């Protein structure tokens, strides 16, 4: 009667009888001239087959919903990672600026060495010789990169320096310090207090750091 009175299709909840569990679909049939319901077409479906068919129809929707959910979760994860990377990049930039300031303005000479040579590390994107180091030695940074510390060490101090460096290179000592003289381009010498320490740059080459302080006036 509901289908007849309202003129709408009715789908009943599952109901059981002697022959099984059924879902009934009642479709009103209307007169084409006056739209009055003149009959109802009824079909009984097995409830299990009905719900199985519904699940089949819903599989694609479920897959799409899961995909959209995963997409949203991925976007949220990417956004979180982006924010974390942005924060870390800002911190690294501050650390880099602080390191650059200290390196360039330090009152002692600092140089990264690769064996006996002054290291050239273009992949790291920064200079390996600070202004004070070049000033103490009276040489330009580019010139120093083409020279070894052996070449600019005073001959009278070279043997003692090489002896300690050999022990350092073999791992017998973790570093050393000494007073020595460097030769300047004009032939004069400058006394320095030098400290040698290992430096790990996470590559296959063996680097160390050289710190020097001008003590000529004191000497």
């Amino acid at each position: 009667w509901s289908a007849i009175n309202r003129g709408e299709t009715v789908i009943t909840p599952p109901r059981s009888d002697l022959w099984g569990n059924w879902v009934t679909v009642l479709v009103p049939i209307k007169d084409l001239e006056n739209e009055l319901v003149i009959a109802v077409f009824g079909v009984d479906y097995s409830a299990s087959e009905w719900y199985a068919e519904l699940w089949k129809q819903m599989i694609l929707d479920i897959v799409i919903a899961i995909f959209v959910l995963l997409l949203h979760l991925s976007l949220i994860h990417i956004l979180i990672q982006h924010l974390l990377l942005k924060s870390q990049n800002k911190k690294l930039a501050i650390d880099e600026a602080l390191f650059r300031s200290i390196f360039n303005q330090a009152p002692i000479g600092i140089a990264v060495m690769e064996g006996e040579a002054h290291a050239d590390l273009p992949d790291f994107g920064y200079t390996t010789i600070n202004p004070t180091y070049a000033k103490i030695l009276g040489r330009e940074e580019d010139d120093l990169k083409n020279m070894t510390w052996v070449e600019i060490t005073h001959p009278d101090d070279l043997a003692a320096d090489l002896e300690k460096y050999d022990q350092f290179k073999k791992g017998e000592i973790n570093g050393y310090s000494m007073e020595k003289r460097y030769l300047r381009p004009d032939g004069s010498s400058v006394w320095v207090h030098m400290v040698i320490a290992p430096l790990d740059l996470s590559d296959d080459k063996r680097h160390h750091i050289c710190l020097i302080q001008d003590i000529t006036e004191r000497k």
Side-chain angles (χ1 to χ4, degrees):
W1 287 113
S2 177
I4 293 173
N5 292 333
R6 292 184 301 180
E8 298 175 353
T9 298
V10 175
I11 301 175
T12 69
R15 294 177 179 175
S16 300
D17 59 20
L18 296 175
W19 296 275
N21 198 25
W22 309 95
V23 171
T24 300
V25 179
L26 303 170
V27 181
I29 299 174
K30 299 180 180 180
D31 189 314
L32 295 179
E33 295 181 359
N34 52 31
E35 292 295 315
L36 294 176
V37 178
I38 58 176
V40 172
F41 179 73
V43 179
D44 287 338
Y45 287 91
S46 167
S48 59
E49 293 181 8
W50 175 270
Y51 287 115
E53 190 64 29
L54 283 179
W55 277 109
K56 284 182 183 179
Q57 298 299 324
M58 291 171 62
I59 286 176
L60 180 60
D61 294 334
I62 292 172
V63 170
I64 293 174
I66 292 174
F67 176 78
V68 171
L69 177 62
L70 291 175
L71 181 61
H72 277 78
L73 292 175
S74 298
L75 291 175
I76 291 172
H77 177 72
I78 291 173
L79 178 61
I80 293 173
Q81 292 298 315
H82 174 73
L83 292 175
L84 289 175
L85 285 174
K86 187 176 180 180
S87 175
Q88 291 176 355
N89 285 337
K90 183 178 180 180
K91 183 178 181 299
L92 287 174
I94 294 173
D95 290 345
E96 173 69 10
L98 177 62
F99 167 76
R100 285 288 98 204
S101 298
I102 295 173
F103 184 81
N104 291 326
Q105 299 177 34
I108 62 173
I110 306 172
V112 178
M113 312 298 292
E114 183 181 321
E116 297 177 356
H118 294 85
D120 186 13
L121 303 171
D123 293 341
F124 284 77
Y126 56 77
T127 180
T128 56
I129 298 173
N130 79 338
T132 303
Y133 184 92
K135 181 180 178 181
I136 291 174
L137 299 186
R139 301 176 184 271
E140 296 295 328
E141 178 183 340
D142 291 339
D143 294 333
L144 287 169
K145 287 183 178 179
N146 296 319
M147 308 178 75
T148 67
W149 60 262
V150 174
E151 296 176 63
I152 57 177
T153 297
H154 194 286
D156 293 344
D157 301 326
L158 183 58
D161 198 351
L162 285 173
E163 182 181 357
K164 287 183 176 294
Y165 177 71
D166 187 57
Q167 294 174 335
F168 171 71
K169 186 168 60 174
K170 292 178 179 178
E172 296 175 0
I173 55 175
N174 194 40
Y176 64 94
S177 63
M178 63 179 295
E179 293 181 355
K180 61 176 277 187
R181 284 165 290 180
Y182 281 107
L183 295 176
R184 286 177 168 171
D186 61 3
S188 64
S189 61
V190 55
W191 276 97
V192 301
H193 176 74
M194 181 182 70
V195 176
I196 299 296
L199 179 64
D200 183 7
L201 294 180
S202 300
D203 59 11
D204 296 333
K205 298 179 181 178
R206 189 180 182 93
H207 295 92
H208 66 273
I209 190 167
C210 175
L211 308 176
I212 59 173
Q213 185 176 12
D214 188 345
I215 59 170
T216 304
E217 186 176 348
R218 175 169 67 81
K219 295 297 283 189

